[in-house]
Amino acid sequence: MEAGLSKPEAALVAKIFFDKMADTLANGDRVEVRGFCSFFVKKHRAYTGRNPKTGKKVKIKSKKLPFFKFGSELKKRVDA
């Protein structure tokens, strides 16, 4: 399926899409592309880790990380 867009136009559409998606995730909201995938943010608590070089204990701050979960239609297409 062709949309009739030039490469620069398609690049602009992709940039707008990914910028909006990043802004949505930064606000803590979920992004879902039906049948393809969903993106969401997981919050991790602070914990004590170790520096692998020195073995010294290090405090790791709490953080939020983006996660990707593929949809059932994508699974089926890849497995076919």
Side-chain angles (χ1 to χ4, degrees):
M1 176 170 95
E2 291 291 325
L5 297 174
S6 68
K7 281 187 179 183
E9 290 171 329
L12 179 60
V13 169
K15 182 181 179 344
I16 291 169
F17 174 79
F18 287 114
D19 284 348
K20 184 65 177 171
M21 187 174 80
D23 291 343
T24 302
L25 290 171
N27 288 331
D29 296 325
R30 185 173 186 250
V31 176
E32 183 176 344
V33 181
R34 293 265 177 202
F36 182 68
C37 67
S38 61
F39 297 90
F40 54 97
V41 176
K42 279 189 180 180
K43 296 175 185 170
H44 296 274
R45 289 183 276 177
Y47 63 95
T48 302
R50 288 190 182 272
N51 180 330
K53 232 179 189 179
T54 64
K56 192 175 184 181
K57 289 185 179 182
V58 180
K59 289 189 178 186
I60 310 295
K61 295 180 183 180
S62 64
K63 56 188 162 190
K64 297 183 218 174
L65 296 173
F67 278 83
F68 167 85
K69 183 177 179 182
F70 45 88
S72 59
E73 288 179 37
L74 179 60
K75 282 187 214 179
K76 289 175 188 174
R77 286 183 74 175
V78 169
D79 193 36

